Protein backbone atom coordinates (compact mmCIF):
# COMPACT_ATOMS: atom_id res chain seq x y z
CA UNK A 1 0.00 0.00 0.00
CA UNK A 2 1.16 3.52 -0.79
CA UNK A 3 -0.02 6.85 0.55
CA UNK A 4 0.21 10.30 -1.02
CA UNK A 5 -0.05 13.49 1.03
CA UNK A 6 -2.15 15.78 -1.17
CA UNK A 7 -1.93 19.10 0.68
CA UNK A 8 -2.90 17.54 3.98
CA UNK A 9 -5.28 14.93 2.56
CA UNK A 10 -3.75 11.48 2.87
CA UNK A 11 -4.72 9.38 -0.14
CA UNK A 12 -4.09 5.70 0.44
CA UNK A 13 -3.54 3.49 -2.59
CA UNK A 14 -4.24 -0.01 -1.36
CA UNK A 15 -5.82 -0.94 -4.69
CA UNK A 16 -5.09 0.60 -8.11
CA UNK A 17 -6.78 3.93 -8.81
CA UNK A 18 -7.68 5.94 -11.90
CA UNK A 19 -6.48 9.34 -13.04
CA UNK A 20 -8.80 10.94 -15.59
CA UNK A 21 -7.31 13.05 -18.39
CA UNK A 22 -8.80 16.47 -19.14
CA UNK A 23 -6.96 18.31 -21.90
CA UNK A 24 -7.56 22.06 -22.08
CA UNK A 25 -6.19 21.99 -25.59
CA UNK A 26 -7.33 22.22 -29.22
CA UNK A 27 -4.70 19.77 -30.51
CA UNK A 28 -4.29 16.71 -28.27
CA UNK A 29 -3.94 13.51 -30.27
CA UNK A 30 -7.32 12.12 -29.18
CA UNK A 31 -10.07 14.53 -30.16
CA UNK A 32 -12.45 13.21 -27.49
CA UNK A 33 -10.14 14.47 -24.74
CA UNK A 34 -10.08 18.09 -25.94
CA UNK A 35 -12.05 20.29 -23.56
CA UNK A 36 -10.84 23.83 -24.34
CA UNK A 37 -13.80 25.60 -22.71
CA UNK A 38 -14.13 25.72 -18.93
CA UNK A 39 -17.72 24.48 -19.01
CA UNK A 40 -16.64 21.46 -21.08
CA UNK A 41 -13.92 20.68 -18.56
CA UNK A 42 -16.36 20.92 -15.67
CA UNK A 43 -18.78 18.57 -17.39
CA UNK A 44 -16.01 16.07 -18.08
CA UNK A 45 -14.74 16.34 -14.50
CA UNK A 46 -18.18 15.57 -13.12
CA UNK A 47 -18.53 12.53 -15.36
CA UNK A 48 -15.11 11.19 -14.42
CA UNK A 49 -15.61 11.70 -10.70
CA UNK A 50 -19.00 10.00 -10.86
CA UNK A 51 -17.40 7.04 -12.62
CA UNK A 52 -14.80 6.63 -9.91
CA UNK A 53 -11.71 8.67 -10.80
CA UNK A 54 -9.48 9.42 -7.82
CA UNK A 55 -7.46 12.10 -9.61
CA UNK A 56 -8.14 14.48 -12.49
CA UNK A 57 -5.10 15.39 -14.59
CA UNK A 58 -5.49 18.78 -16.26
CA UNK A 59 -3.07 19.93 -18.94
CA UNK A 60 -2.84 23.00 -21.13
CA UNK A 61 -0.62 21.82 -23.96
CA UNK A 62 -0.38 18.75 -26.12
CA UNK A 63 2.76 16.66 -25.65
CA UNK A 64 2.24 14.37 -28.63
CA UNK A 65 5.23 14.02 -30.98
CA UNK A 66 5.99 17.26 -32.86
CA UNK A 67 3.39 19.19 -30.86
CA UNK A 68 3.60 22.96 -30.52
CA UNK A 69 5.67 24.18 -27.57
CA UNK A 70 3.79 26.65 -25.36
CA UNK A 71 5.47 29.02 -22.96
CA UNK A 72 4.35 29.09 -19.33
CA UNK A 73 2.12 32.21 -19.49
CA UNK A 74 0.21 30.84 -22.49
CA UNK A 75 -0.22 27.45 -20.87
CA UNK A 76 -1.49 28.96 -17.62
CA UNK A 77 -3.88 31.22 -19.52
CA UNK A 78 -5.45 28.08 -20.96
CA UNK A 79 -5.53 26.08 -17.74
CA UNK A 80 -6.54 28.62 -15.11
CA UNK A 81 -10.25 29.09 -16.00
CA UNK A 82 -10.91 25.35 -16.21
CA UNK A 83 -9.01 24.53 -13.04
CA UNK A 84 -10.85 27.15 -11.01
CA UNK A 85 -14.23 26.24 -12.52
CA UNK A 86 -13.78 22.54 -11.71
CA UNK A 87 -12.82 23.25 -8.12
CA UNK A 88 -15.70 25.68 -7.71
CA UNK A 89 -18.12 22.95 -8.79
CA UNK A 90 -16.22 20.04 -7.18
CA UNK A 91 -14.18 21.50 -4.29
CA UNK A 92 -13.04 18.07 -3.07
CA UNK A 93 -11.63 17.01 -6.45
CA UNK A 94 -7.98 15.96 -6.41
CA UNK A 95 -6.46 17.87 -9.30
CA UNK A 96 -3.11 17.01 -10.85
CA UNK A 97 -1.54 19.69 -13.03
CA UNK A 98 0.11 18.23 -16.13
CA UNK A 99 2.97 20.62 -16.88
CA UNK A 100 6.74 20.83 -17.25
CA UNK A 101 6.77 24.55 -16.37
CA UNK A 102 7.61 25.24 -12.71
CA UNK A 103 5.65 28.51 -12.68
CA UNK A 104 2.51 26.79 -13.98
CA UNK A 105 2.90 24.12 -11.30
CA UNK A 106 3.16 26.77 -8.60
CA UNK A 107 0.17 28.76 -9.89
CA UNK A 108 -1.95 25.64 -10.20
CA UNK A 109 -1.18 24.43 -6.69
CA UNK A 110 -1.91 27.91 -5.34
CA UNK A 111 -5.28 27.67 -7.14
CA UNK A 112 -6.09 24.29 -5.58
CA UNK A 113 -4.22 21.53 -7.48
CA UNK A 114 -2.72 18.89 -5.19
CA UNK A 115 -0.24 17.08 -7.47
CA UNK A 116 2.24 17.88 -10.25
CA UNK A 117 2.60 15.58 -13.27
CA UNK A 118 5.74 16.38 -15.25
CA UNK A 119 6.55 14.51 -18.48
CA UNK A 120 10.17 15.64 -18.25
CA UNK A 121 11.01 14.55 -14.72
CA UNK A 122 12.27 18.04 -14.02
CA UNK A 123 14.59 18.20 -17.01
CA UNK A 124 12.78 20.80 -19.15
CA UNK A 125 12.60 23.42 -16.40
CA UNK A 126 15.55 23.48 -13.98
CA UNK A 127 13.35 25.06 -11.31
CA UNK A 128 10.71 22.33 -11.29
CA UNK A 129 12.03 19.97 -8.63
CA UNK A 130 12.85 22.74 -6.17
CA UNK A 131 9.39 24.24 -6.78
CA UNK A 132 7.58 20.97 -6.14
CA UNK A 133 9.67 20.35 -3.04
CA UNK A 134 8.67 23.76 -1.73
CA UNK A 135 5.01 23.19 -2.60
CA UNK A 136 4.98 19.90 -0.67
CA UNK A 137 2.76 18.02 -3.12
CA UNK A 138 3.18 14.59 -4.77
CA UNK A 139 5.18 14.55 -8.01
CA UNK A 140 4.69 12.25 -10.98
CA UNK A 141 8.13 11.81 -12.54
CA UNK A 142 8.05 10.49 -16.10
CA UNK A 143 10.79 9.01 -18.26
CA UNK A 144 11.46 10.81 -21.52
CA UNK A 145 14.46 11.72 -23.61
CA UNK A 146 14.55 15.21 -25.11
CA UNK A 147 11.29 17.10 -25.55
CA UNK A 148 8.00 16.32 -27.33
CA UNK A 149 9.50 18.02 -30.38
CA UNK A 150 12.64 15.82 -30.44
CA UNK A 151 11.82 12.69 -28.44
CA UNK A 152 11.05 10.30 -31.28
CA UNK A 153 14.48 10.94 -32.82
CA UNK A 154 15.98 9.80 -29.51
CA UNK A 155 14.19 6.44 -29.22
CA UNK A 156 17.35 4.35 -29.08
CA UNK A 157 18.42 2.08 -26.22
CA UNK A 158 20.97 -0.64 -25.56
CA UNK A 159 18.82 -2.02 -22.74
CA UNK A 160 15.51 -0.19 -22.43
CA UNK A 161 14.37 -1.43 -19.03
CA UNK A 162 17.81 -1.03 -17.44
CA UNK A 163 18.13 2.52 -18.81
CA UNK A 164 14.68 3.47 -17.54
CA UNK A 165 15.56 2.03 -14.13
CA UNK A 166 18.84 3.95 -14.05
CA UNK A 167 17.01 7.13 -15.02
CA UNK A 168 14.55 6.72 -12.16
CA UNK A 169 17.28 5.96 -9.63
CA UNK A 170 19.00 9.23 -10.59
CA UNK A 171 15.75 11.22 -10.65
CA UNK A 172 14.63 9.77 -7.31
CA UNK A 173 17.82 11.03 -5.73
CA UNK A 174 17.38 14.48 -7.32
CA UNK A 175 13.77 14.63 -6.12
CA UNK A 176 14.67 13.67 -2.57
CA UNK A 177 17.41 16.30 -2.48
CA UNK A 178 14.85 18.87 -3.66
CA UNK A 179 12.57 17.99 -0.75
CA UNK A 180 9.97 15.96 -2.65
CA UNK A 181 8.53 13.36 -0.30
CA UNK A 182 5.79 11.69 -2.35
CA UNK A 183 6.94 10.40 -5.72
CA UNK A 184 5.12 8.46 -8.45
CA UNK A 185 7.02 6.85 -11.35
CA UNK A 186 5.70 6.95 -14.92
CA UNK A 187 7.74 4.94 -17.47
CA UNK A 188 6.50 7.21 -20.26
CA UNK A 189 4.79 4.94 -22.74
CA UNK A 190 5.03 6.59 -26.16
CA UNK A 191 7.63 9.15 -25.14
CA UNK A 192 10.99 8.63 -26.90
CA UNK A 193 9.99 5.01 -27.45
CA UNK A 194 9.01 2.92 -30.46
CA UNK A 195 5.99 0.64 -30.49
CA UNK A 196 8.25 -2.33 -29.76
CA UNK A 197 9.84 -0.41 -26.88
CA UNK A 198 6.41 0.25 -25.40
CA UNK A 199 5.43 -3.41 -25.49
CA UNK A 200 8.77 -4.42 -23.97
CA UNK A 201 8.33 -1.87 -21.20
CA UNK A 202 4.80 -3.07 -20.51
CA UNK A 203 5.94 -6.68 -20.40
CA UNK A 204 8.63 -5.78 -17.84
CA UNK A 205 6.68 -3.10 -15.95
CA UNK A 206 6.84 -5.10 -12.72
CA UNK A 207 10.62 -4.52 -12.62
CA UNK A 208 9.95 -0.89 -11.69
CA UNK A 209 8.19 -2.07 -8.54
CA UNK A 210 11.63 -2.92 -7.16
CA UNK A 211 12.11 0.82 -6.61
CA UNK A 212 9.41 0.77 -3.92
CA UNK A 213 7.27 3.58 -5.33
CA UNK A 214 3.82 3.70 -6.95
CA UNK A 215 3.87 3.24 -10.72
CA UNK A 216 1.59 5.09 -13.13
CA UNK A 217 0.72 3.62 -16.53
CA UNK A 218 -0.39 6.02 -19.26
CA UNK A 219 -1.39 3.86 -22.21
CA UNK A 220 -4.78 5.30 -23.03
CA UNK A 221 -5.60 5.35 -26.76
CA UNK A 222 -1.94 5.83 -27.71
CA UNK A 223 -0.41 5.06 -31.09
CA UNK A 224 1.11 1.84 -29.73
CA UNK A 225 -2.46 0.57 -29.65
CA UNK A 226 -4.06 2.10 -32.69
CA UNK A 227 -1.11 1.70 -35.08
CA UNK A 228 -0.71 -1.93 -34.06
CA UNK A 229 -4.42 -2.53 -34.69
CA UNK A 230 -4.59 -0.42 -37.86
CA UNK A 231 -7.25 1.93 -36.47
CA UNK A 232 -7.40 5.47 -35.07
CA UNK A 233 -7.37 6.75 -31.49
CA UNK A 234 -11.16 7.08 -31.57
CA UNK A 235 -11.45 3.29 -31.97
CA UNK A 236 -8.73 2.39 -29.45
CA UNK A 237 -10.79 1.99 -26.26
CA UNK A 238 -10.90 -1.81 -26.38
CA UNK A 239 -7.15 -1.99 -26.99
CA UNK A 240 -6.61 0.45 -24.14
CA UNK A 241 -8.54 -1.81 -21.78
CA UNK A 242 -6.49 -4.82 -22.84
CA UNK A 243 -3.17 -3.07 -22.19
CA UNK A 244 -4.45 -1.48 -18.97
CA UNK A 245 -5.35 -4.96 -17.75
CA UNK A 246 -1.83 -6.19 -18.49
CA UNK A 247 -0.39 -3.12 -16.74
CA UNK A 248 -2.48 -3.92 -13.67
CA UNK A 249 -1.26 -7.50 -13.69
CA UNK A 250 2.30 -6.12 -13.87
CA UNK A 251 1.74 -3.99 -10.78
CA UNK A 252 0.53 -0.61 -12.01
CA UNK A 253 -0.93 1.47 -9.17
CA UNK A 254 -2.46 4.33 -11.17
CA UNK A 255 -4.08 4.15 -14.61
CA UNK A 256 -4.05 7.50 -16.43
CA UNK A 257 -6.94 7.30 -18.90
CA UNK A 258 -9.38 9.15 -21.11
CA UNK A 259 -12.18 6.71 -20.22
CA UNK A 260 -12.66 6.21 -16.50
CA UNK A 261 -15.44 3.62 -16.29
CA UNK A 262 -13.71 0.94 -18.41
CA UNK A 263 -10.53 1.43 -16.37
CA UNK A 264 -12.48 1.05 -13.12
CA UNK A 265 -14.02 -2.16 -14.45
CA UNK A 266 -10.57 -3.48 -15.39
CA UNK A 267 -9.38 -2.78 -11.84
CA UNK A 268 -12.40 -4.51 -10.31
CA UNK A 269 -11.97 -7.61 -12.49
CA UNK A 270 -8.21 -7.91 -12.05
CA UNK A 271 -8.60 -7.45 -8.30
CA UNK A 272 -11.18 -10.23 -8.28
CA UNK A 273 -8.88 -12.45 -10.31
CA UNK A 274 -6.03 -11.77 -7.90
CA UNK A 275 -8.26 -12.73 -4.96
CA UNK A 276 -7.96 -9.39 -3.21
CA UNK A 277 -11.52 -9.50 -1.93
CA UNK A 278 -12.70 -6.45 -3.84
CA UNK A 279 -16.16 -5.56 -2.56
CA UNK A 280 -18.90 -4.49 -4.93
Amino acid sequence: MFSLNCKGRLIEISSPVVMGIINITPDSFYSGSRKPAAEQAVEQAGKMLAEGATFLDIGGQSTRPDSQWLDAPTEWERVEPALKAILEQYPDALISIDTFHASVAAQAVAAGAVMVNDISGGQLDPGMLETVGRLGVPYVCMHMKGSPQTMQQLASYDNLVLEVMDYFIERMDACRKAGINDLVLDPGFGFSKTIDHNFQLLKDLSVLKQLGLPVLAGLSRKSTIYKTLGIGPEEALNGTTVLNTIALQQGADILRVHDVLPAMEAIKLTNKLAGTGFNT
Side-chain angles (χ1 to χ4, degrees), residues 160-175:
L160 171 64
V161 177
L162 179 60
E163 290 180 46
V164 171
M165 285 283 284
D166 286 344
Y167 168 89
F168 280 133
I169 290 169
E170 185 277 327
R171 288 286 85 192
M172 287 166 62
D173 182 61
C175 287

Side-chain angles (χ1 to χ4, degrees), residues 204-250:
D204 294 331
L205 189 65
S206 60
V207 174
L208 296 182
K209 301 293 288 183
Q210 296 176 22
L211 297 175
L213 293 172
V215 173
L216 181 150
L219 293 151
S220 186
R221 296 183 181 266
K222 287 187 173 178
S223 61
T224 290
I225 299 166
Y226 64 79
K227 288 184 178 179
T228 298
L229 297 177
I231 55 177
E234 290 74 21
E235 294 79 45
L237 175 56
N238 184 61
T240 295
T241 302
V242 172
L243 295 196
N244 277 341
T245 300
I246 295 170
L248 291 167
Q249 292 176 327
Q250 292 295 319

Side-chain angles (χ1 to χ4, degrees), residues 25 43 45 52 71 100 149 154-155 216 226-227:
T25 59
E43 181 181 1
D71 60 23
F100 50 77
Q149 292 71 36
L154 302 173
L216 181 150
Y226 64 79
K227 288 184 178 179

Side-chain angles (χ1 to χ4, degrees), residues 73-96:
T74 304
E75 182 179 294
W76 178 242
E77 184 179 354
R78 280 186 179 180
V79 169
E80 181 183 18
L83 173 60
K84 291 184 175 179
I86 290 171
L87 286 171
E88 182 176 349
Q89 184 69 30
Y90 303 103
D92 293 330
L94 298 170
I95 303 293
S96 163

Side-chain angles (χ1 to χ4, degrees), residues 173-192:
D173 182 61
C175 287
R176 299 301 186 212
K177 288 177 178 176
I180 298 173
N181 295 318
D182 292 337
L183 194 58
V184 177
L185 306 181
D186 177 354
F189 291 105
F191 288 82
S192 61

